[in-house]
Amino acid sequence: MSRILQVFYILFSGIILSLAIPNEILYFGSPFLGFISLIPLYIAISKSHSYKEAALLNGLHAITVHVLSSFWLANFKDFAIFTLGASAAGTGVIGAFFGWMLYFPYSAFTLPKRQTTLEEFPPAQKVLYFAAVWTIWEWTKSTGFLAYPWGTLSMTAYKAQCFIQIADITGALGISFLMALFSATIAQGLIIYSYIKKSSKTYKSDFLYKGFSDYKNASLFCITLLCISQLYGIFRYTKKEEPVKFLDTIIVQQNTDSWQENGDTKSILVSEKLSMEKLKEKTEKPDLVVWSEAVLRFPFPQAQNYYITMPPEQPLTDFIQKMNVPVITGAPFTLDRINRFFGNGAVFIDSNGNFIDAYCKIHLVPFAEVIPGLEFEWVRNTMKRLAGFSNGWKAGNKAKVFKVKGKNTAGLPEEITFSTPICFEDAFPDIYKMLSKTGSELFINLTDDSWSLTRSAEYQHFVIGALRSIEFRQTTVRCTNSGYSTVIDNKGRIIADLPLFEPAALRFNVPVFEKNVTVFERYGYWIVWVSILFCAIFILKKI
């Protein structure tokens, strides 16, 4: 295969995967495109002539998917040099390394006679190896300080509601593994068919038959896994599960610009107005009012005195006292007053307007919310020149849950424990596991994605959050600045939502299901360790 054709295959694969991920055309993505998106990539890597070539091709693929699916990162104001530029470069570098790994079955080092690749490496091993490496790749780029868990195969699968139910066993990466395995199996079949057409009769009967026989076994294995996953998904999706508690909640989407420099007066007043409108719909008081990330700008607990009189039109404390309903809202929280360290927090204010406690975001956005080496003056000066800013948030260091009075199925008051992962923390199962182990029965995610200015960014973030609901079988309330504000049940289904980029509010009796520890919560990404073990055995056996 010529290099021009290889590059075309790589770009084509990247475009298909980008179209499969929620975008401006297909809001919730396309599972069909997701399942076939890696076929051209598999073929291009298999036709590479060196590790370097395979690394460059896969790096190009990673950058293509990243830029086409996450182009909205360029709207992150002065931070775009890092959010889009640096993240694309970093994704490309990691992708190049995994391109090097993907090429192993085809390398001259292990296969001196290139024409015998089908014989030396049975198709079943190759497709499994590809799926395993792809799973490790997605895990690697979704883990650690520089993690960016977007652009994954599992993001394409939301509309395949039954299929994604396996996330409570394998996590989202199990979905990616099966989709990569399907692409690899189809691609390997096309390669074998191509060999059969071009080969002589002797060559066909000698070892292509063996390769085809092994490929049939690989295909049956792939089909079996998909069928088992689908049957399990149908069982879980259709299984009737009744909530054990309910939380009457007002969810407010104020749709104000969190980047405005004239304080938080507008965001507070809009939030108050929308909250009051929903409060008046029923004579019975709600149990909780939820406002999104970054509504308040002044740090708690000191700001409690500030909000006694601010904003002048309707002071926040006075408003909460009039509602007589507790509020959870996004606001800075003081972690170290002397050194002026502040966290991106979710603060809990009781029905009397008194600050009770706060959770601080643990996994911060690198180079946007947190800047490594900020204690050094040269780092601060460099950041000031490059992006016009030289400060950031301090990460929280512990899980936190809050308690509020809800109701049981008999309508009697009963305590509900909830947690508040902030913004893109919903992309990290380890954060959710930490919160769940602390006792959380309900996830309330506070998000501000208004800066993205695109529907695709909002829906991409939503599908990631929906996967967490399935993994932990708990309801998720997404309260966002501008969308996509939703209530997601423990099967990942939307049971209530608000329109994007509009000031709106929703009052909903949020169901809370019986808390059970899922296989995924107990064992985490076991599929990654199985994939690593398989790849290690495969490589050690062949070198």
Side-chain angles (χ1 to χ4, degrees):
M1 179 182 287
S2 69
R3 288 186 178 177
I4 293 176
L5 189 56
Q6 280 181 305
V7 171
F8 171 77
Y9 271 44
I10 289 296
L11 294 177
F12 186 49
S13 176
I15 291 170
I16 295 175
L17 180 51
S18 300
L19 285 173
I21 293 167
N23 55 75
E24 298 298 312
I25 302 170
L26 303 171
Y27 290 156
F28 292 99
S30 169
F32 171 74
L33 292 178
F35 270 105
I36 66 171
S37 61
L38 301 187
I39 294 174
L41 171 69
Y42 185 99
I43 294 172
I45 294 294
S46 71
K47 301 298 182 180
S48 297
H49 299 89
S50 67
Y51 280 108
K52 179 181 178 181
E53 188 175 285
L56 290 174
L57 288 172
N58 202 57
L60 176 61
H61 184 270
I63 291 173
T64 301
V65 174
H66 182 82
V67 172
L68 292 182
S69 63
S70 296
F71 65 92
W72 41 266
L73 287 171
N75 294 328
F76 207 67
K77 306 274 182 174
D78 296 331
F79 300 80
I81 187 175
F82 299 107
T83 53
L84 183 58
S87 62
T91 301
V93 170
I94 300 171
F97 172 77
F98 280 91
W100 183 88
M101 283 190 65
L102 288 171
Y103 182 66
F104 179 80
Y106 312 99
S107 66
F109 174 72
T110 55
L111 297 174
K113 296 180 180 179
R114 172 114 178 130
Q115 69 273 18
T116 62
T117 54
L118 287 175
E119 185 177 32
E120 295 291 337
F121 289 91
Q125 292 185 22
K126 285 195 280 192
V127 298
L128 280 172
Y129 179 78
F130 180 90
V133 172
W134 183 270
T135 303
I136 300 167
W137 143 248
E138 285 198 358
W139 174 73
T140 300
K141 81 186 195 75
S142 304
T143 305
F145 173 73
L146 295 175
Y148 185 71
W150 267 247
T152 60
L153 281 175
S154 59
M155 288 179 65
T156 72
Y158 178 73
K159 292 179 73 175
Q161 289 278 288
C162 290
F163 173 64
I164 63 175
Q165 298 303 311
I166 62 168
D168 68 348
I169 297 176
T170 66
L173 286 179
I175 299 169
S176 293
F177 173 84
L178 287 176
M179 297 180 84
L181 181 65
F182 180 84
S183 272
T185 302
I186 297 298
Q188 186 61 50
L190 293 174
I191 291 171
I192 291 176
Y193 177 73
S194 175
Y195 274 125
I196 290 175
K197 284 193 69 176
K198 294 177 182 178
S199 302
S200 65
K201 290 182 179 179
T202 304
Y203 197 62
K204 288 177 186 177
S205 60
D206 189 18
F207 82 57
L208 282 178
Y209 174 77
K210 297 178 183 178
F212 184 70
S213 177
D214 185 78
Y215 173 72
K216 286 194 298 183
N217 294 332
S219 300
L220 286 173
F221 178 72
C222 177
I223 292 169
T224 301
L225 283 182
L226 289 173
C227 288
I228 291 172
S229 299
Q230 186 69 7
L231 288 173
Y232 172 78
I234 292 171
F235 165 73
R236 285 310 306 250
Y237 193 73
T238 58
K239 182 182 179 183
K240 190 173 182 180
E241 296 179 76
E242 297 293 340
V244 294
K245 303 175 188 176
F246 292 93
L247 188 68
D248 188 356
T249 310
I250 293 177
I251 303 159
V252 177
Q253 178 179 288
Q254 82 276 16
N255 197 41
T256 57
D257 184 3
S258 60
W259 295 75
Q260 61 186 358
E261 298 180 359
N262 57 343
D264 52 14
T265 297
K266 183 178 179 181
S267 61
I268 294 173
L269 291 176
V270 172
S271 298
E272 289 176 343
K273 177 178 178 292
L274 294 169
S275 300
M276 188 56 68
E277 287 175 357
K278 291 299 170 182
L279 192 68
K280 291 178 179 178
E281 286 184 356
K282 298 180 181 179
T283 55
E284 187 178 1
K285 285 193 310 178
D287 302 315
L288 182 68
V289 172
V290 184
W291 293 356
S292 73
E293 179 188 18
V295 172
L296 308 183
R297 307 292 176 80
F298 295 89
F300 280 77
Q302 304 93 306
Q304 181 158 0
N305 293 328
Y306 173 82
Y307 289 113
I308 291 175
T309 58
M310 296 298 290
E313 298 88 337
Q314 176 60 78
L316 177 62
T317 302
D318 181 59
F319 173 78
I320 295 174
Q321 289 172 345
K322 286 180 179 178
M323 284 200 308
N324 195 26
V325 179
V327 173
I328 191 85
T329 182
F333 180 72
T334 304
L335 291 168
D336 186 333
R337 188 171 184 178
I338 295 175
N339 294 304
R340 297 185 60 78
F341 290 153
F342 304 104
N344 184 357
V347 301
F348 186 54
I349 303 171
D350 70 12
S351 57
N352 294 315
N354 299 314
F355 166 76
I356 300 300
D357 207 347
Y359 164 75
C360 278
K361 189 174 183 180
I362 295 172
H363 198 125
L364 299 171
V365 181
F367 298 103
E369 291 183 315
V370 60
I371 305 166
L374 202 59
E375 63 273 18
F376 301 109
E377 185 177 358
W378 70 269
V379 174
R380 294 194 295 272
N381 292 337
T382 301
M383 293 300 297
K384 193 72 176 177
R385 288 195 300 271
L386 286 175
F389 68 95
S390 59
N391 57 358
W393 296 111
K394 180 76 172 177
N397 55 15
K398 61 180 178 179
K400 184 85 67 174
V401 293
F402 307 98
K403 297 181 185 296
V404 67
K405 287 290 184 181
K407 294 177 180 64
N408 60 23
T409 52
L412 300 174
E414 188 164 341
E415 196 170 68
I416 293 174
T417 303
F418 69 93
S419 57
T420 54
I422 298 175
C423 201
F424 98 138
E425 280 191 321
D426 62 5
F428 300 99
D430 58 326
I431 297 292
Y432 273 58
K433 183 175 182 178
M434 187 188 311
L435 295 170
S436 183
K437 288 180 69 175
T438 309
S440 176
E441 302 172 278
L442 169 70
F443 298 121
I444 299 180
N445 175 252
L446 307 183
T447 288
D448 174 15
D449 284 339
S450 59
W451 54 267
S452 72
L453 306 177
T454 61
R455 291 178 177 272
S456 55
E458 313 295 347
Y459 287 119
Q460 286 175 22
H461 200 164
F462 157 75
V463 299
I464 287 174
L467 289 169
R468 301 292 87 79
S469 274
I470 299 171
E471 288 174 344
F472 294 88
R473 294 298 177 188
Q474 292 186 32
T475 303
T476 297
V477 174
R478 297 193 75 244
C479 182
T480 74
N481 177 298
S482 60
Y484 184 36
S485 296
T486 58
V487 180
I488 309 166
D489 74 3
N490 64 346
K491 296 177 182 179
R493 298 176 297 194
I494 302 166
I495 53 177
D497 65 349
L498 290 170
L500 269 65
F501 299 110
E502 292 181 23
L506 169 72
R507 183 168 180 174
F508 192 75
N509 218 19
V510 176
V512 178
F513 296 89
E514 184 178 357
K515 185 175 173 63
N516 294 304
V517 177
T518 64
V519 172
F520 175 73
E521 182 176 351
R522 188 178 300 277
Y523 298 108
Y525 275 136
W526 57 268
I527 194 166
V528 174
W529 304 112
V530 172
S531 297
I532 291 173
L533 179 62
F534 174 81
C535 290
I537 293 172
F538 180 86
I539 292 171
L540 290 173
K541 184 179 177 181
K542 298 300 178 180
I543 59 176

